[in-house]
């Protein structure tokens, strides 16, 4: 895999040079934005394959910026880089809509591997199935969601969540199952990351439609049901 078009939003010139050197050597093109607002305008106006985002920017936090990116419809994978590498920092980033989180300092090889893995997942290169349940469709290869034939725009993490619910349609899905299979965590970080993301997915699946499809089973988890 090569030739990705990457947007890097980072105020530190040395880090920007490091990332550009690594990704350019891997065959990719990197556009650099030195502040959040410039990055937001670039991401909204140009189709990138992936965004690499610093957590601490001069005009806004990376956490706020990723939320703004999702709000304006930027649905490409986002990899956050940060000197804050504790578990709670990573969870906060994932909660905001980040798809992966890499602590500084990092090795070039790991950065490239993370970028490649995110891009593979975003393009469903190892899958070809279409899952149909009720009036919903999950196109795994295209990574698209549909309800009643209408496209439902999802972020990469929301799509992973939707796909997992579709793979377990009609069954109760626990928080532990979501943490392990969607967030790749083997422990409960004691945050509202699941509630926030399930809430976003529910709104997107149900707004404009007559009947709800994603049910909260209090004390147990969630269940996707057909209508």
């Amino acid at each position: 895999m090569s030739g990705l078009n990457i947007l890097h939003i980072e105020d530190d010139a040395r880090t920007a040079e490091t990332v550009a050197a690594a990704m350019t050597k891997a065959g990719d093109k990197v556009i650099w934005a030195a502040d959040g607002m410039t990055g937001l305008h670039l991401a909204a106006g140009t189709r990138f394959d992936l965004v690499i985002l610093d957590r601490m920017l001069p005009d806004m936090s990376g956490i706020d910026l990723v939320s703004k990116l999702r709000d304006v419809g930027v649905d490409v994978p986002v990899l956050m880089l940060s000197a804050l590498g504790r578990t709670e920092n990573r969870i906060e980033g994932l909660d905001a809509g980040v798809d992966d989180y890499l602590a500084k300092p990092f090795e070039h090889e790991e950065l490239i591997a993370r970028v490649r893995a995110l891009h593979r997942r975003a393009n469903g290169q190892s899958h070809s199935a279409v899952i149909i349940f009720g009036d919903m469709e999950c196109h795994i290869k295209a990574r698209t969601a549909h309800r009643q034939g209408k496209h439902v725009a999802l972020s990469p993490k929301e799509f992973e969540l939707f796909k997992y619910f579709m793979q377990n349609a009609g069954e109760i899905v626990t928080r532990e199952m979501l943490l392990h299979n969607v967030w790749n965590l083997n422990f409960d970080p004691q945050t509202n990351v699941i509630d926030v993301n399930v809430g976003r997915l529910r709104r997107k699946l149900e707004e404009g439609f007559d009947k709800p499809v994603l049910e909260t089973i209090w004390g147990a988890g969630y269940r996707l049901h057909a209508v």
Side-chain angles (χ1 to χ4, degrees):
M1 184 193 313
S2 63
L4 302 184
N5 192 25
I6 298 171
L7 174 62
H8 184 203
I9 308 172
E10 166 70 64
D11 64 312
D12 182 70
R14 181 171 297 180
T15 301
E17 290 174 0
T18 297
V19 169
M23 301 317 304
T24 300
K25 186 176 181 180
D28 302 324
K29 178 182 178 181
V30 179
I31 303 297
W32 176 37
D35 60 77
M37 192 55 66
T38 301
L40 181 62
H41 288 315
L42 284 170
T46 304
R47 181 67 182 183
F48 291 94
D49 296 303
L50 186 134
V51 174
I52 299 176
L53 172 66
D54 184 39
R55 184 180 175 119
M56 294 179 284
L57 296 165
D59 54 344
M60 67 180 75
S61 75
I63 296 294
D64 290 337
L65 179 54
V66 74
S67 297
K68 293 179 186 295
L69 289 170
R70 298 311 186 202
D71 287 343
V72 299
V74 177
D75 59 359
V76 301
V78 174
L79 169 62
M80 178 168 278
L81 302 180
S82 177
L84 302 176
R86 298 177 60 136
T87 298
E88 55 265 35
N89 304 135
R90 179 170 175 262
I91 293 301
E92 187 180 8
L94 295 171
D95 194 355
V98 168
D99 299 286
D100 200 359
Y101 194 105
L102 180 60
K104 300 177 183 178
F106 51 84
E107 298 293 334
H108 287 196
E109 292 77 10
E110 183 175 7
L111 173 65
I112 294 168
R114 297 284 190 105
V115 167
R116 292 292 182 263
L118 278 179
H119 188 250
R120 281 196 301 271
R121 291 207 303 267
N123 287 273
Q125 293 185 1
S126 60
H127 303 281
S128 60
V130 176
I131 305 173
I132 299 175
F133 180 67
D135 61 0
M136 294 170 288
E137 297 178 17
C138 178
H139 294 247
I140 295 178
K141 185 173 182 179
R143 292 185 64 82
T144 57
H146 303 263
R147 184 173 179 194
Q148 295 180 11
K150 299 177 182 178
H151 176 252
V152 180
L154 302 178
S155 72
K157 184 59 68 179
E158 290 164 354
F159 178 80
E160 290 296 326
L161 191 57
F162 175 65
K163 181 178 72 172
Y164 191 74
F165 277 126
M166 289 289 281
Q167 290 170 334
N168 296 273
E171 303 293 332
I172 294 177
V173 174
T174 66
R175 294 172 61 88
E176 290 75 18
M177 292 166 67
L178 293 176
L179 284 169
H180 179 69
N181 293 283
V182 179
W183 277 270
N184 298 315
L185 294 174
N186 294 314
F187 62 95
D188 189 343
Q190 302 298 316
T191 73
N192 64 347
V193 60
I194 290 179
D195 306 288
V196 170
N197 281 275
V198 169
R200 289 173 180 162
L201 177 62
R202 177 184 284 119
R203 285 193 296 274
K204 291 184 176 183
L205 289 177
E206 297 180 357
E207 282 183 357
F209 298 97
D210 294 333
K211 296 181 180 179
V213 291
L214 188 51
E215 177 186 9
T216 298
I217 310 295
W218 297 110
Y222 307 92
R223 179 168 55 204
L224 193 68
H225 58 84
V227 293

